[in-house]
Amino acid sequence: MSLWTSLEPASSTVDPGGSTKVRLRLRNTGDVVDEYRFEPVGDVAPWTVVEPQTLRLYPGTTGTVELTFSPPRSPDAVAGPNPFAVRITPTEHPEATTVPEGNLTITPVTEVRAEVGPLTEKGRFRGRPKPAVDNLGNTRLTASVRGSDNRDQLSYDIQPSHEQVEPGLAVFVTATLKPRQIIWFGSKEQRPYSLAIQRSGTGPQSVEGTYVQRGFLPRWLATFLGVFMALAITFVMLWIAYKPKVSTAATEKLQEAGISTLPPSPSASLAPPTPSVPSAEAPVAPAATESQTASGAGGGGGGASPEAEPKESAKPQEDTAATAVTQLAAQDPGRHICYRAYLTDKGWTKPVCDGAVAGTVGEDRPIKSLNIATSDTDGTAASAFVHYPQSTDGKGHYFGPWKGVVDGADLYIGSTKKDDPYMLGLAMNVGQSKSVVCQTTHVHNEGWHGLACDEPGGDNYIFGGTLSNLLWIEAVKFTV
């Protein structure tokens, strides 16, 4: 080789949007005059400038060129070490090409931009804006999304709440807004809201939007129904007040002929029969009075009373979670939770309590509904996450509104109807400040998930199960 090279320094660091220089020294170790051409190669070549681009050296002489690196402040300049190289081609001996290599470290830059579309979302029961998180930096970041409004008029379901975003890419988050109160009659109302996008170590970045909540029924329909009800009540009152008296000619003819229309003498009547289906509090049918007995004996026409019709057994009371927790609390006062599961093609299981298994394991029977009741927890609330055939992201969705009941009452989530979807998971909490609920679920093909508990407070909840449409829950355990 007729060329000696040296990079000074061989490793360098540069900030995106800035620049740094590296010196390349070379010596012609051959015995003829030669001219050298320089060409940057590698990932950082678009941001590299070599000056001069050619250099002519006599044998035994040394020359210098400068490499200037100017990476842009964009995702294209990936943070971290980036190798670079310069191809040196001699004019007299092009086959003796030399490629000295070095390392350029680009410092990380984090920049996030958030937006939401559409800015105005309309609906009666829910809205589905689509917030987007753009990573304009040159390193991967993790962002979280939370929703809020000034008067706490909306609830927010954001999936997923945390998302990793690669440099130069954007991710869309599924957000569902639900008004806490339904407008049954009247015009629409505007409810401003804010979605806060936050990454680790920095303050939140907010994007504003507006949810326009429409009335369930238009105002003119409410007026029409009010007028219709008033007219209906007026018509009924007039009918009652001025109902015509009707008499038949047959009755009048009987009266003219002196024929009696009274029923036969009481001596021929019988005692009333026993009710065919008596309730537990139904009175026993009275026996024939003394006057009726005497009258029947004197007339010779009194016969024996007919045999009583057979009694039917009362329908047994359904054994629900509320009856189970009430019995348990009476025997052992304190905090308890009882529950049962509705299994596909099988129906309700018997209620179990305080960490026992409700459902099946290994029988491929999805749970469609859960019945839950608590004692000494200030009540409980939950919502079912169910299979969603129309999903575009492979996930289910929440079924129905968030439901809550007081201690000792039955809470039902999901559905037992044949065509309704089965449950993938559930969200649940108990109490307002002093209680927590813990759960573990058995998921198809995944087995038992780990025990998870919520935090004290009415606004917190714990999610159990799976989000995937390809899985479902087969059994559950709860403790409080």
Side-chain angles (χ1 to χ4, degrees):
M1 180 181 294
S2 61
L3 182 65
W4 170 87
T5 62
S6 174
L7 287 171
E8 299 175 356
S11 297
S12 183
T13 302
V14 64
D15 296 328
S19 64
T20 188
K21 296 179 181 291
V22 173
R23 180 179 299 173
L24 172 62
R25 297 180 61 199
L26 64 160
R27 179 185 297 119
N28 184 355
T29 58
D31 53 2
V32 295
V33 178
D34 209 342
E35 185 178 64
Y36 302 94
R37 288 180 288 109
F38 305 94
E39 180 186 2
V41 294
D43 293 337
V44 299
W47 319 313
T48 306
V49 176
V50 181
E51 293 181 345
Q53 295 183 352
T54 62
L55 186 64
R56 186 179 181 85
L57 294 178
Y58 287 89
T61 60
T62 302
T64 303
V65 296
E66 281 191 343
L67 308 178
T68 303
F69 301 99
S70 303
R73 188 182 177 87
S74 72
D76 295 331
V78 181
N82 292 268
F84 69 88
V86 179
R87 181 186 293 116
I88 306 173
T89 305
T91 303
E92 297 296 331
H93 302 283
E95 73 280 356
T97 300
T98 303
V99 184
E101 298 180 355
N103 186 70
L104 180 67
T105 300
I106 301 177
T107 58
V109 173
T110 304
E111 185 176 351
V112 179
R113 182 177 65 190
E115 52 190 357
V116 63
L119 295 177
T120 301
E121 185 73 14
K122 300 178 181 180
R124 291 181 174 84
F125 304 108
R126 62 178 58 84
R128 291 188 174 92
K130 295 182 178 179
V133 182
D134 298 327
N135 184 359
L136 303 181
N138 62 355
T139 184
R140 178 191 297 176
L141 61 85
T142 301
S144 61
V145 184
R146 296 179 64 88
S148 62
D149 55 277
N150 292 334
R151 292 181 291 175
D152 195 26
Q153 296 176 327
L154 303 173
S155 64
Y156 304 86
D157 178 21
I158 299 175
Q159 297 292 339
S161 58
H162 296 78
E163 187 69 47
Q164 286 191 341
V165 190
E166 298 294 335
L169 298 181
V171 296
F172 289 89
V173 180
T174 302
T176 302
L177 312 179
K178 294 182 179 179
R180 298 188 184 276
Q181 293 184 347
I182 298 175
I183 302 176
W184 293 106
F185 299 99
S187 60
K188 58 189 177 183
E189 295 186 10
Q190 293 189 354
R191 307 195 187 281
Y193 66 90
S194 175
L195 296 177
I197 315 297
Q198 185 171 12
R199 60 183 177 84
S200 301
T202 63
Q205 179 180 351
S206 297
V207 290
E208 309 295 332
T210 302
Y211 174 65
V212 179
Q213 183 180 359
R214 297 170 175 168
F216 182 72
L217 296 175
R219 187 182 298 276
W220 66 265
L221 183 58
T223 304
F224 172 78
L225 292 177
V227 173
F228 177 79
M229 291 298 296
L231 292 175
I233 293 174
T234 302
F235 175 79
V236 172
M237 297 298 295
L238 291 174
W239 174 263
I240 295 174
Y242 298 101
K243 183 178 179 181
K245 185 176 181 181
V246 180
S247 59
T248 65
T251 304
E252 295 173 357
K253 295 297 181 180
L254 288 174
Q255 292 175 350
E256 293 176 1
I259 301 175
S260 174
T261 60
L262 296 176
S265 172
S267 61
S269 64
L270 302 176
T274 304
S276 61
V277 185
S279 63
E281 299 179 356
V284 179
T289 60
E290 293 180 3
S291 60
Q292 291 173 325
T293 304
S295 175
S305 63
E307 295 182 1
E309 298 180 5
K311 298 182 179 181
E312 298 181 5
S313 58
K315 183 178 181 180
Q317 183 179 3
E318 184 180 4
D319 193 8
T320 68
T323 58
V325 81
T326 302
Q327 296 173 359
L328 181 59
Q331 300 172 0
D332 180 17
R335 194 177 302 166
H336 299 286
I337 181 170
C338 294
Y339 42 93
R340 59 176 180 154
Y342 188 93
L343 305 179
T344 302
D345 300 327
K346 192 172 183 179
W348 286 109
T349 63
K350 288 188 175 296
V352 296
C353 304
D354 297 340
V357 177
T360 60
V361 174
E363 295 185 12
D364 293 339
R365 290 187 183 274
I367 292 178
K368 295 194 63 174
S369 177
L370 287 173
N371 171 211
I372 306 169
T374 59
S375 67
D376 195 28
T377 66
D378 291 338
T380 181
S383 182
F385 192 81
V386 302
H387 178 74
Y388 184 42
Q390 289 79 32
S391 172
T392 59
D393 57 1
K395 299 177 181 179
H397 70 161
Y398 280 97
F399 183 81
W402 185 266
K403 299 179 181 179
V405 298
V406 298
D407 282 336
D410 281 311
L411 172 64
Y412 290 90
I413 59 174
S415 174
T416 60
K417 294 182 179 180
K418 181 179 180 181
D419 295 331
D420 282 349
Y422 51 81
M423 291 178 58
L424 309 180
L426 72 152
M428 180 182 180
N429 67 3
V430 293
Q432 296 298 320
S433 61
K434 69 177 183 177
S435 305
V436 298
V437 61
C438 298
Q439 58 78 23
T440 178
T441 57
H442 188 280
V443 177
H444 176 68
N445 287 341
E446 291 186 357
W448 286 104
H449 284 195
L451 182 68
C453 305
D454 70 336
E455 298 178 0
D459 293 334
N460 298 302
Y461 68 88
I462 187 69
F463 182 85
T466 176
L467 301 177
S468 173
N469 260 331
L470 301 178
L471 304 174
W472 58 77
I473 57 174
E474 298 178 333
V476 295
K477 300 178 186 178
F478 297 113
T479 58
V480 292

